[in-house]
Amino acid sequence: MPDFTDSLKPQYDGQAILEAERNRSPIQVHELSKHLLSRNNFLERQSKIVSILQNDPLFSKRNQLNMSRPDRFHVGLARNKKLRRLAKQYAWDLEDYKMAEYLTDEMSPYHLQHGMFATSVFQQSSDEQRAEWLPAVRDFKVLGCYAQTELGHGSNVRGVEATATYDLKAQQWVLHSPTLTASKWWNGALGRVATHAVVIAQLQIPKKEGTGYDSHGPHQFLCRIRDEKTHQPLDGIVIGDIGPKYGYASMDNGYMLFDNFRIPHSALLCRYSKVDPKTGAFQRQGHPAIVYGTLTATRGAIILNARLVLARAVTIAIRYTSIRRQFQDRDAETSSQEVAVLDYPTVQIRLLPLLATSLALHYTGEAVSDHFKKSAAKIENGDFSALAEMHALSSGLKSLCTQYAADGIETCRRSMGGHGFHGASGLVGINSDYLSKPTVEGDNWMITQQVASYLIKKMDEVVTNTAGKSKDTVVGQFQSFLTAKKPFYTLFQGSEINAKEILNAFEWRSAYLSHEAYQARIVQKKSWTSLLIQLHKLSRAYSEMVLVTNFFNAIQSSNLSIETAKVIEQCFYLYALYTIDNDPRSFSTTGAVADASMDALPDHILDIMSQIRPHAVKLVDAWAIPDYLLNSALGRYDGKVYEDLFHRAHHENPLNKTTFNPHWEDEEIVLGSGDGGKILSKL
Amino acid sequence: MAPVPPWVKKLRPAEPLGSQLLDAERAKSSIPVDKLTLFLYGQEFIDIKAKILKILQAEPLFDKSQNYFQGRVERWEKSLARAKRLRQLAVEHDWSLEDHNVAVDLIAEPIPYMLHGTMFLLTLFSQCSDEQGAKYFMRAMDYKIIGCYAQTELGHGSNVKGLETTATWNSDDKTFTIHSPTLTASKWWIGTLGRTANHAVVMAQLIVNGKNHGPHPFIVKIRDMKTHQPLENIHVGDVGPKIGYNTMDNGFLLFNNHKVPHEAMLAKFSSVDPETNQYVPPKSAAQVYGTMTWVRSTIVWQSGGYLARGVTIAVRYCAVRRQFKDEEAPDSQKGETQVLDYSMVAYRLLPLLAACYALHFTGKIMMDMYQQKQGLLTDSTSKQEQEFAIAELADLHATSCGLKSLASTTTADGLETSRRACGGHGYSSFSGIGDVSTNYLPNVTWEGDNYMLTQQVARYLIKTARSVMDGAPITNDTTKIFSYYQSRAEIGAAFDVLGSDTDLVAAFAWRSAYLSFDAMRQRDEAKKPWNDLLVDFYRLSKAHSQYFIVKNFYDTLVTEDPENALDDDTKGIMYLLFRLYALHTLESEANEFFTSSALTVHQITLCRATVMRLLKEIRPHAVTLVDAWDFPDFQLDSSLGRKDGDVYSDMFYRASELNPLNDLTADPYPDSPVIVKSRL
Ligand SMILES: Cc1cc2nc3c(=O)[nH]c(=O)nc-3n(C[C@H](O)[C@H](O)[C@H](O)COP(=O)(O)OP(=O)(O)OC[C@H]3O[C@@H](n4cnc5c(N)ncnc54)[C@H](O)[C@@H]3O)c2cc1C
Ligand SMILES: Cc1cc2nc3c(=O)[nH]c(=O)nc-3n(C[C@H](O)[C@H](O)[C@H](O)COP(=O)(O)OP(=O)(O)OC[C@H]3O[C@@H](n4cnc5c(N)ncnc54)[C@H](O)[C@@H]3O)c2cc1C
């Protein structure tokens, strides 16, 4: 319906503002995009897929935030099906399909099919089992989920309560849930969709003599859980969706209980453990380290994803805060135009370091992925020597990078003031979905113990044998640490920043804290639990060092045009110096940075930010995040912020289609409907 | 839902049960919970809460079991029904304002009448002339008209002076024309406006004879009293879904040359004389100042309680949740370890527990100070007394800005930390923390954005530092600590922060003074532009506010309250919490304590060890310390935070018996276009 609002224009023209921002920076956006996003033809793939999705009404994201959970699930499943059909129609490969998932930007039931489910079927199956299952998995004839976590146990996988007891006579496994806490829980796609599950249960075999069982720990079993025709749970199984969550509305995370449910002997995925069907003899075989290999690869992907998530939030915030104007400058002589809020240092200090962080994550994500690719062949051939360091390293990075991204989204959201709170900010869905990441694939606090434990072990080796040769980079760092005195690096000469000294300072701090932890644990024999916080800090320091190092290496070998390279170098400084400034004590007490440099930090940071500021919009443009994915009035490429906010409120908001009865004496809710009192029946 | 088979009904959680674990926790702490509750709230409040809770729980409309499952529109409609019922109950039981507030708190969702009851009434109360009061305020009190407070616009929130809506005086027919010249002039975010209100207090630039006199309040009828349709040339609606606050209809509002009568302008302080067509300006700005201070103090006061909801849930759950067996644990600990015993979990939660208390005490003191200083102003007879009172209010105003910023940031971040500390189950809606957290988030933005606001604190502290430099006398706490600092700046100070609680407080004062004088020099001597100092100002404001919180915590403990006295044991534990809050803060801000020469590096290292020790000492009391906040299960609506610890059965019950998604059977295969195969 046309009305007087149609002719209204915003006070400031966002489109013109962004144009001006783009005109004042010499950065070659396309060049930088290619530099950042060439892996696996990301850019071409993205534009190919986005053009298909954004024109399909089923994939329109409007109004998604108004939907109830069951409706979101409903749409999510419909979209999943459509994606599969599109994949067939356009002959998408797996990367294309993943791109489509990334662009639709919701976690939905089929997500696990190619992920956790297929991976574990592949990794844990014998060759015969692979031949039997994998084609059906690939063709979505078998729809699966990965049922490991239970109501009572998640982190501690060894503690799962579900049992799989071998029945020698029947040559079957009996799956059973002895308690309520043994219920499977959180397993994606299980709630309403999966026909099959990989179930993790305690494998137990009746003792040869007497009663009782020999327990062999958690193992994976693959079995059908729902009827092929009716899609109802099979007899002896209870399944359901666990209910609404902070995010993941369209995913049916499920629960599942077994009442002495029987599955065949062949259900045990037996690449690494075998049970003789007749004798029940249990036997382990092969080296499951390959599993760590995949874990590491997954973590490379997690970092690359964290980078894009953070980049998305930063894109929205940078564009909006360059358009948003609030207050005249206090020191300005005459009453000039209002100031773009991105020109306030208290806004910059929240956003620009995050912009730099997204680049830091990029270079490390690339390095980890490359590294993994290189060693993948070795691993295939049974050489696992490089794996330990990578695995340890990747736990620390998973923790730090997902925390950067999760916290970064919220920081960006808050930096936008009131409008950041609105659904049209585009940060509501991403925020609540991404907040699962600090917990899943290893709780961010818990897994930092793995890095720390690795570093302590290495330090112990180096202390015992100072001159030993090793391929591990940390060994070299530890060796030079042990022979040196506190260096107190000087980071600045006047206005010059010394990148190499920054790098040295990070390496020194990491080695110093490793040594401190080694002292506490190995020399003073302190209990592990009493050290957890110290270990967490160590993991962080180490991971920050890795990020700084990879960033540093990348700018050394950069082939970007001079002007762009210069700005990326500024981002390196910003990331590194801001990181120091955030935990200044650990740089001064370890003797990593000289006091004078510490004192000069804040001024340098302000200065670098003011140098990056004119390029901010183009830097985020380079992340090439399509409007379809941003789904944000505030972060639109064309800057039409206010027009879009208003359009969404005025034309798309279902609440405005109803007139309500506001008077408290009347029980009626919808005016004229006579629905008084009926709302109770909806409860 | 499909019926739950008997074999499932029979299942119990693995032993030890949550209830046993929480019983054991409660048994090992000496704290008399009731006494501590009394100390926190006072008897009157406790009685009110009991009375209201009983009434609400008897009402089917306030049953929360479907809350987490519903979509925005459904939830909003239900919330309107609840708002109405609440009003009916208020009339029926003759509730006081406090009774009503307690009820809203227990329902724990923002209801659509909310802004009517708060900002609308408050503005009418403080800004109406006597005639307007009779006409609008009384009817609003009776909910005959329903209103909202429409200040923020699409283009301006923080900068109120920049509002674009105009109210132009027409001398010919003695009316005002309210108009929105641009799209960004649209009112935006206005609570209760979207679908509920029929009146609005509209802030608009007053233009008289072509001259702009800045934003002024007008009361405007926006919807027809019968049809509830917007009046002609008014365009109004709900702004759409948000990250939280979805049971509230935050609205937009546009005017197309809409005329309102002369009496629409709220005229207590300023007005337009209809005879002369002249603008009559206000006499003093102190009153408006007062309201802002009051609103911010309220935010500070409530922040402790909000944070305590998340912390209660997380502490209880982490005492029930057991994961891994700690191989080095003493033999007395059988089986897996309660995750609250991992120092990494305690390190995240217990300082927050201390912060709940710290914020609550500071909030209480702020509210008292507000009453007292406002009283000074009202009672002032001489010009001198009045000036003194106004200076005191300015001090309080600055303090309230800094505290609002720090307290609401602490709570917003702390709620998310609590949620994450719960691991996977923290991500379920049934954790109950998600909703508290997202509904709390606007607090960091409204009533002054938390970053922006700190400039006001800095401005005040710099001014005070300047006056102390010039030898101004000691008049209040701020001038006192600045004078002390100034007298010792060249000599230095040594604070025994681990040996003496008063030294601990003094070290915080020292740092705040140091940063204030430093900021003053940056501005006055180095002549740095204001804009370049904003980050420093943010830190300064934080430092000053932390000092204030630490000081108030300490003062609360040393002040004897004969009515609600604590026994020595409990007092002792409160001192532990005080030290934990102070030392944990000190440790995270160690650099500033070091550069201000309040502490040596060695002292800082010792502080860290002390924090670890305090965590251990407080740990046995963690559950009783959250129990003392006395949140009914009805209010928390959380599986994880249940008082009886029956976490797992409740999670399972909600998932399997309350969850509507389980009523539908999906057709899962991609090649079939059918989505739902059957519905129950
Ligand atoms: C959205 C989502 C999807 C999921 N999808 C699946 C799925 O498809 N399949 C599946 O099987 N599972 C799934 N999960 C489960 C997930 O893997 C677990 O939730 C995760 O591993 C964390 O375990 P937890 O919940 O037991 O946390 P807990 O271990 O109970 O964590 C609670 C707290 O204790 C701390 N803690 C625990 N152990 C230690 C320790 N040793 N030292 C110090 N601190 C400790 C943690 O830091 C945390 O603060 C999903 C979870 C979510 C949220
Ligand atoms: C849920 C909700 C309910 C609300 N209810 C109401 C209501 O009922 N009535 C009403 O009138 N309003 C209401 N508001 C609006 C609220 O008061 C404003 O959103 C708030 O004042 C912030 O203003 P803004 O949105 O313009 O933020 P902006 O000022 O645009 O903030 C954007 C960014 O700029 C920064 N910034 C701005 N100015 C400066 C400066 N001078 N120096 C440094 N940095 C600066 C901020 O720190 C922030 O990071 C509501 C808002 C929300 C989210």
Side-chain angles (χ1 to χ4, degrees):
Chain A
M1 260 215 313
D3 54 48
F4 72 86
T5 66
D6 296 344
S7 61
L8 292 171
K9 297 260 173 308
Q11 179 186 20
Y12 300 106
D13 181 352
Q15 195 163 16
I17 292 171
L18 283 193
E19 241 172 66
E21 289 278 354
R22 286 172 180 133
N23 286 336
R24 70 166 159 156
S25 160
I27 287 185
Q28 307 278 332
V29 171
H30 188 64
E31 178 205 34
L32 186 53
S33 291
K34 275 182 66 177
H35 170 77
L36 293 171
L37 300 168
S38 285
R39 180 175 289 266
N40 287 329
N41 288 325
F42 187 94
L43 283 174
E44 294 78 12
R45 203 185 299 277
Q46 174 168 276
S47 49
K48 174 178 86 180
I49 308 282
V50 85
S51 64
I52 297 172
L53 295 182
Q54 70 189 359
N55 295 321
D56 187 326
L58 182 59
F59 293 99
S60 157
K61 295 173 187 175
R62 87 186 234 180
N63 250 324
Q64 216 160 260
L65 287 175
N66 282 305
M67 289 182 189
S68 69
R69 165 93 214 297
D71 289 347
R72 276 298 298 275
F73 173 76
H74 198 114
V75 173
L77 181 56
R79 285 179 181 163
N80 265 192
K81 291 185 176 207
K82 185 75 188 276
L83 276 190
R84 265 305 294 172
R85 297 200 295 270
L86 288 173
K88 271 193 182 162
Q89 183 183 342
Y90 293 100
W92 285 349
D93 63 16
L94 187 58
E95 288 294 325
D96 289 332
Y97 185 82
K98 283 191 187 155
M99 174 62 79
E101 274 197 330
Y102 163 71
L103 291 168
T104 52
D105 192 32
E106 61 182 8
M107 269 297 166
S108 25
Y110 288 177
H111 178 72
L112 279 290
Q113 184 74 3
H114 293 303
M116 288 286 268
F117 180 64
T119 311
S120 51
V121 175
F122 175 77
Q123 281 175 353
Q124 301 291 331
S125 290
S126 65
D127 291 341
E128 303 87 79
Q129 284 172 326
R130 283 184 183 176
E132 181 188 346
W133 290 107
L134 288 177
V137 171
R138 195 180 46 229
D139 296 342
F140 284 65
K141 299 267 185 272
V142 156
L143 295 170
C145 67
Y146 181 75
Q148 172 175 300
T149 303
E150 296 177 351
L151 192 48
H153 289 88
S155 300
N156 182 14
V157 181
R158 299 203 66 81
V160 299
E161 295 180 77
T163 53
T165 308
Y166 194 56
D167 177 344
L168 258 178
K169 259 203 244 113
Q171 302 196 0
Q172 283 174 330
W173 295 100
V174 182
L175 288 178
H176 188 62
S177 318
T179 63
L180 190 67
T181 36
S183 176
K184 292 294 165 192
W185 202 270
W186 275 122
N187 324 107
L190 169 63
R192 305 318 286 152
V193 168
T195 58
H196 288 69
V198 168
V199 178
I200 284 65
Q202 301 284 354
L203 186 157
Q204 36 187 36
I205 295 172
K207 280 198 192 316
K208 283 258 155 52
E209 270 133 62
T211 52
Y213 304 97
D214 289 321
S215 196
H216 295 281
H219 280 76
Q220 307 198 357
F221 299 82
L222 173 55
C223 60
R224 173 173 276 287
I225 53 173
R226 282 190 170 95
D227 183 84
E228 196 165 2
K229 279 246 170 55
T230 65
H231 201 57
Q232 296 301 334
L234 298 176
D235 269 356
I237 306 187
V238 157
I239 313 180
D241 168 272
I242 62 167
K245 293 147 294 198
Y246 200 78
Y248 274 49
S250 40
M251 175 66 92
D252 55 332
N253 297 90
Y255 63 84
M256 173 159 65
L257 283 156
F258 301 102
D259 184 24
N260 291 307
F261 178 74
R262 289 179 169 265
I263 54 177
H265 170 267
S266 61
L268 171 67
L269 297 180
C270 61
R271 188 159 208 88
Y272 302 110
S273 304
K274 265 204 172 74
V275 170
D276 186 291
K278 293 204 191 72
T279 66
F282 177 87
Q283 187 198 349
R284 280 185 206 277
Q285 59 187 19
H287 196 316
I290 181 90
V291 179
Y292 288 106
T294 345
L295 243 174
T296 313
T298 316
R299 287 187 177 155
I302 289 179
I303 300 167
L304 288 174
N305 175 253
R307 136 200 97 142
L308 288 176
V309 165
L310 186 58
R312 177 154 30 131
V314 173
T315 300
I316 293 172
I318 294 276
R319 286 184 185 151
Y320 174 67
T321 54
S322 6
I323 293 168
R324 180 73 169 176
R325 274 151 170 67
Q326 210 77 190
F327 297 102
Q328 272 88 21
D329 186 349
R330 282 176 59 92
D331 289 331
E333 308 279 291
T334 53
S335 68
S336 48
Q337 260 212 344
E338 288 180 279
V339 178
V341 296
L342 186 54
D343 289 331
Y344 293 119
T346 33
V347 174
Q348 292 177 358
I349 195 86
R350 287 178 279 167
L351 296 180
L352 298 182
L354 287 177
L355 176 59
T357 303
S358 65
L359 293 166
L361 297 187
H362 167 76
Y363 292 116
T364 286
E366 292 269 308
V368 170
S369 303
D370 283 346
H371 193 85
F372 180 75
K373 233 187 210 156
K374 268 184 236 147
S375 44
K378 276 201 220 150
I379 294 172
E380 274 298 302
N381 297 328
D383 173 4
F384 302 112
S385 56
L387 214 56
E389 178 176 14
M390 284 233 326
H391 178 62
L393 186 155
S394 74
S395 325
L397 287 174
K398 185 269 169 184
S399 174
L400 181 61
C401 297
T402 55
Q403 194 195 329
Y404 273 145
D407 294 349
I409 298 167
E410 178 60 13
T411 302
C412 289
R413 202 190 58 67
R414 287 193 204 168
S415 76
M416 298 191 288
H419 293 319
F421 197 74
H422 198 281
S425 67
L427 291 183
V428 173
I430 190 182
N431 187 56
S432 51
D433 282 350
Y434 198 77
L435 282 185
S436 62
K437 288 291 185 290
T439 303
V440 301
E441 319 257 1
D443 177 275
N444 273 1
W445 281 77
M446 209 192 67
I447 55 172
T448 55
Q449 298 176 50
Q450 298 175 11
V451 200
S453 128
Y454 174 80
L455 294 173
I456 291 173
K457 206 173 110 216
K458 283 288 152 188
M459 184 58 84
D460 191 20
E461 279 171 33
V462 176
V463 170
T464 339
N465 177 11
T466 27
K469 279 221 161 30
S470 165
K471 282 180 295 202
D472 287 4
T473 32
V474 291
V475 170
Q477 287 170 12
F478 288 179
Q479 283 168 339
S480 45
F481 165 81
L482 285 173
T483 53
K485 282 209 296 273
K486 284 187 179 178
F488 293 106
Y489 292 108
T490 298
L491 309 185
F492 314 110
Q493 270 89 31
S495 62
E496 287 293 303
I497 310 175
N498 189 328
K500 188 75 187 92
E501 297 292 76
I502 291 181
L503 198 61
N504 289 338
F506 274 89
E507 284 182 3
W508 176 268
R509 178 181 67 141
S510 158
Y512 186 99
L513 295 176
S514 302
H515 190 254
E516 215 175 53
Y518 154 81
Q519 282 280 342
R521 178 67 182 166
I522 307 286
V523 181
Q524 296 163 19
K525 308 230 181 306
K526 288 203 183 155
S527 82
W528 186 254
T529 304
S530 71
L531 295 174
L532 291 184
I533 295 165
Q534 188 181 345
L535 302 179
H536 184 71
K537 290 180 177 165
L538 166 59
S539 164
R540 182 162 181 142
Y542 173 75
S543 307
E544 284 169 352
M545 183 270 290
V546 172
L547 282 159
V548 167
T549 307
N550 287 323
F551 206 154
F552 175 83
N553 291 341
I555 53 176
Q556 301 315 303
S557 59
S558 162
N559 48 12
L560 288 166
S561 59
I562 295 173
E563 278 153 333
T564 310
K566 182 96 192 89
V567 182
I568 299 295
E569 190 184 347
Q570 298 286 1
C571 290
F572 164 72
Y573 291 135
L574 182 57
Y575 172 73
L577 298 182
Y578 181 78
T579 304
I580 299 177
D581 197 33
N582 249 341
D583 189 10
R585 283 248 319 120
S586 75
F587 285 88
S588 51
T589 47
T590 57
V593 175
D595 276 353
S597 295
M598 292 305 293
D599 291 343
L601 265 182
D603 283 343
H604 275 282
I605 290 175
L606 273 184
D607 181 51
I608 297 167
M609 291 200 304
S610 67
Q611 295 186 45
I612 294 176
R613 166 67 186 93
H615 311 287
V617 168
K618 277 199 161 170
L619 283 171
V620 300
D621 284 351
W623 282 112
I625 302 188
D627 276 350
Y628 173 72
L629 179 58
L630 289 177
N631 187 24
S632 166
L634 305 187
R636 294 168 62 98
Y637 183 83
D638 67 7
K640 292 190 171 177
V641 167
Y642 296 114
E643 295 91 324
D644 195 6
L645 268 174
F646 190 75
H647 173 79
R648 289 176 192 232
H650 184 22
H651 294 290
E652 293 186 351
N653 182 356
L655 199 60
N656 289 333
K657 301 205 173 92
T658 312
T659 303
F660 294 93
N661 176 340
H663 301 289
W664 64 274
E665 300 93 332
D666 304 336
E667 304 238 1
E668 182 183 73
I669 299 299
V670 174
L671 192 69
S673 69
D675 66 355
K678 285 204 190 114
I679 196 116
L680 270 182
S681 66
K682 290 192 187 167
L683 293 180
Chain B
M1 276 300 303
V4 179
W7 63 270
V8 173
K9 282 228 144 108
K10 251 185 14 229
L11 292 171
R12 295 284 165 268
E15 304 257 343
L17 298 177
S19 54
Q20 296 165 333
L21 288 161
L22 288 193
D23 283 350
E25 290 284 338
R26 288 172 180 134
K28 74 182 170 191
S29 165
S30 56
I31 295 179
V33 172
D34 292 349
K35 281 269 166 51
L36 188 51
T37 306
L38 190 66
F39 184 75
L40 281 173
Y41 298 113
Q43 191 60 47
E44 192 188 331
F45 181 84
I46 295 173
D47 294 342
I48 294 181
K49 192 154 84 177
K51 171 182 85 178
I52 306 285
L53 181 63
K54 213 165 128 218
I55 296 172
L56 294 182
Q57 278 183 312
E59 293 280 329
L61 194 57
F62 296 112
D63 172 81
K64 298 183 181 180
S65 57
Q66 281 300 312
N67 275 4
Y68 294 133
F69 300 100
Q70 289 178 326
R72 164 105 211 280
V73 178
E74 265 178 306
R75 271 211 81 173
W76 186 82
E77 288 189 20
K78 193 160 77 184
S79 200
L80 178 59
R82 286 176 174 165
K84 291 184 174 205
R85 186 67 196 128
L86 205 63
R87 173 64 194 160
Q88 292 166 356
L89 288 170
V91 172
E92 208 173 293
H93 298 281
D94 200 15
W95 281 351
S96 70
L97 184 60
E98 171 143 36
D99 291 342
H100 173 266
N101 289 346
V102 167
V104 173
D105 237 24
L106 289 169
I107 295 170
E109 70 187 22
I111 52 171
Y113 283 169
M114 184 122 104
L115 274 289
H116 171 85
T118 55
M119 284 304 279
F120 183 63
L121 282 178
L122 196 66
T123 312
L124 290 185
F125 177 73
S126 59
Q127 311 250 1
C128 278
S129 67
D130 291 346
E131 305 89 81
Q132 287 170 330
K135 174 152 186 202
Y136 293 111
F137 181 66
M138 298 320 281
R139 279 164 70 217
M141 280 291 282
D142 290 344
Y143 285 65
K144 298 268 185 253
I145 57 174
I146 294 171
C148 60
Y149 179 77
Q151 175 175 302
T152 304
E153 296 174 354
L154 193 47
H156 289 90
S158 300
N159 182 13
V160 179
K161 289 209 183 97
L163 296 179
E164 295 179 78
T165 305
T166 52
T168 309
W169 173 246
N170 308 307
S171 44
D172 43 354
D173 63 356
K174 311 293 172 198
T175 59
F176 295 98
T177 299
I178 309 228
H179 185 60
S180 320
T182 64
L183 188 67
T184 35
S186 176
K187 293 293 166 189
W188 199 270
W189 278 124
I190 315 306
T192 305
L193 168 65
R195 308 313 288 152
T196 311
N198 45 36
H199 282 69
V201 168
V202 176
M203 291 298 274
Q205 303 281 359
L206 173 66
I207 297 169
V208 184
N209 302 327
K211 183 167 183 307
N212 188 340
H213 295 281
H216 282 74
F218 295 80
I219 177 149
V220 183
K221 182 160 114 185
I222 52 169
R223 285 189 172 99
D224 183 275
M225 297 302 284
K226 274 241 176 57
T227 65
H228 202 55
Q229 293 297 337
L231 300 182
E232 213 183 315
N233 285 319
I234 288 185
H235 192 67
V236 54
D238 169 271
V239 300
K242 295 151 290 196
I243 188 165
Y245 237 69
N246 281 311
T247 50
M248 172 60 78
D249 51 327
N250 294 94
F252 62 80
L253 175 66
L254 280 159
F255 299 97
N256 189 23
N257 291 309
H258 177 73
K259 279 202 172 185
V260 294
H262 171 260
E263 63 160 34
M265 180 168 163
L266 297 183
K268 179 150 183 177
F269 299 110
S270 48
S271 54
V272 173
D273 185 332
E275 303 298 322
T276 63
N277 297 316
Q278 292 301 314
Y279 173 66
V280 188
K283 297 206 176 60
S284 131
Q287 192 71 32
V288 191
Y289 228 31
T291 314
M292 283 187 327
T293 308
W294 182 80
V295 173
R296 287 181 190 138
S297 303
T298 312
I299 292 181
V300 177
W301 180 58
Q302 290 175 340
S303 63
Y306 271 105
L307 180 55
R309 293 186 205 184
V311 172
T312 299
I313 293 170
V315 164
R316 285 186 183 151
Y317 173 65
C318 289
V320 171
R321 183 72 169 177
R322 290 149 34 104
Q323 207 74 191
F324 297 103
K325 185 162 169 39
D326 178 358
E327 299 302 336
E328 295 164 5
D331 288 341
S332 59
Q333 280 177 27
K334 283 203 207 75
E336 291 183 280
T337 306
Q338 292 167 284
V339 297
L340 191 54
D341 284 334
Y342 290 118
S343 53
M344 271 178 178
V345 175
Y347 186 70
R348 283 177 282 166
L349 291 179
L350 299 187
L352 286 177
L353 175 58
C356 298
Y357 282 88
L359 295 175
H360 181 79
F361 294 143
T362 281
K364 262 195 0 197
I365 288 177
M366 285 298 292
M367 300 303 279
D368 290 348
M369 276 168 60
Y370 175 76
Q371 297 295 352
Q372 184 221 335
K373 298 195 169 167
Q374 201 66 43
L376 277 183
L377 184 65
T378 343
D379 298 344
S380 62
T381 47
S382 65
K383 190 158 166 50
Q384 215 175 0
E385 273 179 24
Q386 196 187 6
E387 270 170 14
F388 176 73
I390 289 177
E392 283 296 275
L393 278 171
D395 186 70
L396 191 65
H397 175 252
T399 312
S400 75
C401 290
L403 283 173
K404 184 270 171 183
S405 171
L406 176 62
S408 59
T409 300
T410 305
T411 295
D413 294 349
L415 287 169
E416 175 60 14
T417 303
S418 310
R419 198 189 62 70
R420 284 193 210 169
C422 297
H425 293 325
Y427 197 70
S428 166
S429 299
F430 307 148
S431 79
I433 307 182
D435 265 19
V436 181
S437 169
T438 50
N439 284 338
Y440 190 78
L441 285 175
N443 281 282
V444 305
T445 301
W446 64 31
E447 301 306 333
D449 173 275
N450 278 0
Y451 276 82
M452 201 195 69
L453 210 48
T454 58
Q455 297 177 45
Q456 309 205 23
V457 191
R459 188 174 312 144
Y460 175 78
L461 293 176
I462 290 174
K463 209 177 105 198
T464 310
R466 240 178 241 143
S467 72
V468 169
M469 266 258 289
D470 295 344
I474 294 176
T475 49
N476 55 23
D477 188 63
T478 315
T479 42
K480 188 169 119 198
I481 63 170
F482 282 16
S483 302
Y484 176 78
Y485 171 79
Q486 216 206 352
S487 70
R488 304 218 38 121
E490 303 300 321
I491 312 167
F495 300 104
D496 178 12
V497 291
L498 295 177
S500 148
D501 290 336
T502 46
D503 272 25
L504 184 50
V505 176
F508 275 84
W510 179 271
R511 157 179 169 245
S512 162
Y514 168 88
L515 292 173
S516 300
F517 279 91
D518 188 52
M520 177 195 75
R521 274 190 294 273
Q522 300 281 356
R523 191 70 181 147
D524 294 353
E525 289 165 26
K527 301 277 178 230
K528 284 211 182 153
W530 183 262
N531 205 20
D532 286 4
L533 291 168
L534 297 189
V535 176
D536 292 343
F537 292 164
Y538 181 76
R539 290 182 178 156
L540 166 59
S541 167
K542 190 168 164 195
H544 188 67
S545 306
Q546 284 170 340
Y547 155 66
F548 203 73
I549 294 177
V550 167
K551 173 182 181 303
N552 286 332
F553 203 149
Y554 182 69
D555 287 350
T556 304
L557 297 184
V558 291
T559 310
E560 286 302 329
D561 176 355
E563 264 175 66
N564 306 324
L566 289 174
D567 61 281
D568 288 349
D569 269 6
T570 310
K571 236 336 169 9
I573 295 163
M574 296 309 283
Y575 273 104
L576 297 181
L577 282 178
F578 157 71
R579 279 171 216 138
L580 178 61
Y581 179 80
L583 291 173
H584 182 262
T585 305
L586 191 153
E587 190 201 338
S588 12
E589 314 280 350
N591 211 42
E592 284 176 9
F593 283 90
F594 175 69
T595 32
S596 65
S597 309
L599 296 185
T600 63
V601 171
H602 186 58
Q603 276 180 303
I604 291 169
T605 313
L606 292 175
C607 285
R608 186 180 290 179
T610 310
V611 166
M612 296 306 295
R613 212 191 57 233
L614 285 166
L615 292 179
K616 277 220 172 79
E617 287 173 8
I618 293 169
R619 166 65 187 89
H621 308 288
V623 169
T624 46
L625 284 169
V626 300
D627 283 350
W629 286 90
D630 190 34
F631 296 117
D633 284 344
F634 175 79
Q635 185 174 15
L636 296 180
D637 193 18
S638 161
S639 296
L640 305 187
R642 284 173 67 99
K643 185 157 191 202
D644 65 6
D646 199 4
V647 167
Y648 296 119
S649 312
D650 194 51
M651 283 288 265
F652 192 80
Y653 167 74
R654 291 185 194 235
S656 74
E657 295 186 46
L658 297 180
N659 182 358
L661 191 58
N662 289 327
D663 293 348
L664 58 88
T665 299
D667 178 328
Y669 296 103
D671 297 330
S672 149
V674 177
I675 305 297
V676 175
K677 227 178 160 99
S678 63
R679 258 177 225 278
L680 221 63

